[in-house]
Amino acid sequence: MFYICSMSGVHVIWFKRDLRVHDHAALAAAVASGAPILPLYIFEPGYWALPEHSRRQFDFVRDSLEELDAALKARGTKLVIRMGSAIDVFSALHQKHGIAAIHAHEETGLQWTFDRDRAVRRWARNAGISLREQPQNGVQRALQSRDGWANQWEAFMRRPRLVAPEALKPSAADSEEWPLPQDFGLGADDCPQRQKGGRMAAVDCLRSFLESRGRTYQKSMSSPLTAADACSRLSPHLAFGTVSIREAWQAAQKAQHEHGRSGDTGFAASIGSFISRLQWHCHFIQKLEDQTSIESRNLHPGYDGLRPEPLAGDPRLAAWIEGRTGFPFLDACMRSLRETGWLNFRMRAMVMGFASHHLWLDWKQPAEHLAALFTDFEPGIHYPQAQMQSATTGMNTPRIYNPVKQSQDQDPDGAFIRRWVPELSGLPAEWLHAPWEAPASVRARAGIVLGQTYPMRIVDHMAAAEEARSRIFAVRKRAGHGAQADALQARHGSKRSGIPFRGQQAARRQAVPRAPEPAQLSFDLHLTPPSQAHAS
Ligand SMILES: Cc1cc2nc3c(=O)[nH]c(=O)nc-3n(C[C@H](O)[C@H](O)[C@H](O)COP(=O)(O)OP(=O)(O)OC[C@H]3O[C@@H](n4cnc5c(N)ncnc54)[C@H](O)[C@@H]3O)c2cc1C
């Protein structure tokens, strides 16, 4: 093979869902080699063509890459952008620049990325190139047993963060022109309130959450009215790696300690609750890492064939996606998701469950649609959660959310509904949650004609929930169901992993702040002004 560079070759850092220079194991390993480095991001057409991927995620990635490029330029090199399949791109770069090693983080993604990574590994082996993949969070590759998982996770989080390198030795490689969303068939996206990508926004989110926004996290997270501000909003940043989960965990430990020490125990408890969720983040991703079929097949085979797959153009699926089910709160959630790219956990669970239980649709297509609407799409959280909310894991107690009760509980005055379903805004609050129950005269005064100005409800939710419950429990009663569920629990469950407390209990326990270790005390994400964070 002919190389322009010396045979010693360049070290490629293959950026995927780790778009930062801080606490970046692959970058640190490349720098340690002393060789010229080639920071690479590949826009892969096959990846962006998957139904889960969308323009809002693409735009978030573009924001993040622009800041990453600036951070690399500040250190003497630049981001090399390529468009094409990974193997084609690596082959061409190898021919021109001679690749000695490729450094990357392990990625727990869709089957597509698992297959792609396997193919790249094979290609590198054949080309005599060393491919070094490292864990980027507490998810473990080739895990043999879940026993003690939580302790290993915490040990990973406690390790010192890797400092961003000060200077990088550039290679001769130039970037191609950055592609546009249209190059991948990603048209306009109606998401004016999408979260901005990039390191600066990530640091801002984390800092404002830990310093002030998170004070009422525990009690505000369930309502979409309060959750948008009181939750961390770190999800797209964790999904695309503009901040590492270890950075978030260490900063949260420090904040929890400080709030506890200053007597703000409520705030400390909220941060404790957030810390538990950072562990759930990896706990869920570990499931997909261990069993890639969770993306496409029921975790518990007892549920195979239980629900029909929606046919193309199924009007119920379309009504659900477009927020036209006739359930005002549910429609408000779907419409707000379309415009913001985010929804709080409780409402994600409710909308997913509505498709699976009330509409009795197989979870795969609704889950794909939701994934594309989430700026923070994280395969390892999304698919295990989609199955959990659809009661196809066999190992979780089924929970069917009532969209009217959730509406009354989480949006009692109807402010969220009025904002996102303005055609109902004339209805008094007492009728907003279930407009079909309002006297005809009240609806007439509010200018509402069901079926014309706003849809009739698509289903009788009480009867549909009852029917779903009895079908699911019939499966749970079948011979062999329990044994299979136990095996799944052993493989994927939180008990074996050593995650004993959930929700409020975990938060209360974590509210007793432990003194952070010295490495954490020196961690000062808070003091990094946004302008510096941008450049660094
Ligand atoms: C059907 C369904 C699909 C989901 N799909 C995704 C997804 O694609 N990407 C995604 O990041 N989250 C997903 N979640 C989990 C959760 O709803 C979001 O992580 C959360 O709403 C993001 O907002 P936040 O960052 O402000 O969360 P916070 O409440 O501030 O939590 C901090 C972080 O902890 C993690 N986390 C929080 N809740 C959970 C949970 N229940 N399980 C696992 N990790 C959690 C996330 O990384 C989150 O960013 C899904 C939940 C459901 C029910």
Side-chain angles (χ1 to χ4, degrees):
M1 186 153 311
F2 171 72
Y3 302 138
I4 287 181
C5 286
S6 74
M7 282 302 286
S8 59
V10 298
H11 280 230
V12 172
I13 300 125
W14 183 14
F15 287 99
K16 294 194 271 185
R17 293 172 75 106
D18 49 0
L19 308 180
R20 61 180 185 276
V21 294
H22 299 261
D23 199 27
H24 198 293
L27 179 60
V31 170
S33 74
I37 69 157
L38 194 164
L40 174 71
Y41 184 85
I42 311 174
F43 281 98
E44 297 161 280
Y47 174 94
W48 290 106
L50 295 171
E52 290 89 345
H53 295 150
S54 57
R55 171 73 185 266
R56 56 194 61 192
Q57 296 153 11
F58 184 95
D59 289 344
F60 187 94
V61 166
R62 272 287 305 233
D63 292 346
S64 305
L65 291 175
E66 278 164 21
E67 285 196 26
L68 177 62
D69 187 35
L72 291 166
K73 281 182 175 145
R75 290 167 171 81
T77 182
K78 64 176 158 311
L79 189 61
V80 173
I81 294 288
R82 287 286 184 278
M83 180 169 158
S85 84
I87 303 263
D88 289 350
V89 167
F90 281 122
S91 301
L93 286 173
H94 188 42
Q95 271 204 346
K96 193 158 179 204
H97 301 284
I99 299 175
I102 300 170
H103 301 267
H105 278 126
E106 289 164 355
E107 179 177 1
T108 306
L110 296 170
Q111 188 65 49
W112 191 93
T113 63
F114 274 114
D115 292 345
R116 185 262 331 262
D117 287 349
R118 207 173 289 136
V120 170
R121 256 176 247 132
R122 208 176 311 120
W123 173 85
R125 205 166 39 245
N126 292 340
I129 293 170
S130 135
L131 173 60
R132 301 179 205 160
E133 292 175 280
Q134 309 201 44
Q136 82 150 326
N137 51 31
V139 175
Q140 297 176 43
R141 187 139 282 185
L143 183 70
Q144 295 304 312
S145 158
R146 271 282 191 155
D147 290 342
W149 182 90
N151 286 341
Q152 289 151 19
W153 182 87
E154 190 164 325
F156 182 93
M157 296 305 146
R158 284 193 181 280
R159 263 176 237 151
R161 287 160 295 113
L162 296 163
V163 176
E166 275 179 15
L168 297 167
K169 195 167 169 182
S171 72
D174 256 330
S175 182
E176 283 175 357
E177 218 170 283
W178 291 40
L180 298 171
Q182 293 82 331
D183 297 329
F184 304 93
L186 298 168
D189 189 357
D190 204 6
C191 192
Q193 296 179 51
R194 170 183 67 81
Q195 281 180 255
K196 191 173 166 8
R199 173 81 181 173
M200 184 166 65
V203 171
D204 261 0
C205 254
L206 184 54
R207 183 176 37 211
S208 62
F209 175 74
L210 296 177
E211 286 180 354
S212 56
R213 283 192 300 111
R215 177 168 278 110
T216 61
Y217 175 69
Q218 272 178 303
K219 75 166 192 279
S220 305
M221 68 169 76
S222 298
S223 165
L225 278 170
T226 44
D229 190 52
C231 286
S232 74
R233 309 301 303 275
L234 269 187
S235 50
H237 295 289
L238 292 174
F240 292 104
T242 50
V243 65
S244 76
I245 193 155
R246 178 161 46 202
E247 289 179 290
W249 186 85
Q250 294 190 3
Q253 290 280 338
K254 180 172 184 267
Q256 189 194 30
H257 178 69
E258 284 170 356
H259 293 313
R261 207 176 43 183
S262 70
D264 197 342
T265 49
F267 204 161
S270 274
I271 302 296
S273 189
F274 168 74
I275 289 170
S276 322
R277 279 160 181 80
L278 293 180
Q279 191 169 54
W280 298 0
H281 173 101
C282 295
H283 168 66
F284 275 86
I285 297 177
Q286 185 73 57
K287 296 177 198 233
L288 189 67
E289 173 68 33
D290 295 343
Q291 192 169 341
T292 54
S293 65
I294 293 178
E295 165 196 337
S296 51
R297 293 209 301 272
N298 292 323
L299 186 62
H300 192 304
Y303 298 88
D304 288 355
L306 187 64
R307 298 179 174 96
E309 268 191 40
L311 299 171
D314 186 320
R316 293 168 309 157
L317 185 60
W320 176 77
I321 295 164
E322 290 160 17
R324 291 186 291 100
T325 64
F327 289 91
F329 187 57
L330 193 122
D331 290 345
C333 287
M334 293 303 281
R335 294 183 195 183
S336 92
L337 172 58
R338 180 163 299 281
E339 281 206 23
T340 65
W342 185 85
L343 202 54
N344 61 321
F345 172 78
R346 171 80 63 104
M347 272 55 260
R348 291 189 199 210
M350 180 189 75
V351 298
M352 185 69 229
F354 187 85
S356 300
H357 301 310
H358 298 89
L359 300 184
W360 201 244
L361 300 172
D362 182 77
W363 53 266
K364 177 63 179 166
Q365 276 192 48
E368 277 174 5
H369 282 289
L370 276 187
L373 289 170
F374 293 159
T375 309
D376 63 23
F377 171 53
E378 173 64 70
I381 301 179
H382 189 71
Y383 277 113
Q385 277 289 355
Q387 289 221 35
M388 192 163 135
Q389 303 307 333
S390 307
T392 50
T393 67
M395 59 181 186
N396 307 105
T397 313
R399 175 159 191 191
I400 301 182
Y401 289 92
N402 175 337
V404 174
K405 181 171 186 313
Q406 288 302 315
S407 184
Q408 288 158 344
D409 291 351
Q410 308 302 341
D411 187 25
D413 301 330
F416 188 71
I417 295 176
R418 283 183 221 284
R419 174 160 179 218
W420 294 105
V421 190
E423 63 269 36
L424 293 179
S425 58
L427 266 185
E430 60 181 310
W431 303 113
L432 255 184
H433 310 287
W436 59 89
E437 288 177 356
S441 59
V442 172
R443 286 203 301 263
R445 263 199 308 280
I448 294 159
V449 182
L450 289 181
Q452 288 182 26
T453 61
Y454 182 70
M456 306 256 200
R457 67 179 167 153
I458 194 172
V459 70
D460 175 340
H461 62 292
M462 297 304 281
E466 204 37 58
E467 179 68 26
R469 200 169 287 118
S470 69
R471 287 175 179 177
I472 290 164
F473 277 94
V475 176
R476 288 172 78 87
K477 281 187 204 138
R478 278 188 205 148
H481 179 281
Q484 272 175 312
D486 289 347
L488 288 165
Q489 177 63 248
R491 185 170 185 197
H492 296 294
S494 54
K495 285 185 206 136
R496 283 284 284 276
S497 306
I499 310 174
F501 295 94
R502 292 187 64 91
Q504 301 281 324
Q505 270 181 308
R508 272 198 294 277
R509 187 164 185 256
Q510 299 234 16
V512 183
R514 271 191 287 173
E517 307 203 331
Q520 291 158 33
L521 283 170
S522 68
F523 179 42
D524 248 327
L525 197 60
H526 302 260
L527 295 180
T528 313
S531 55
Q532 275 179 28
H534 182 71
S536 62

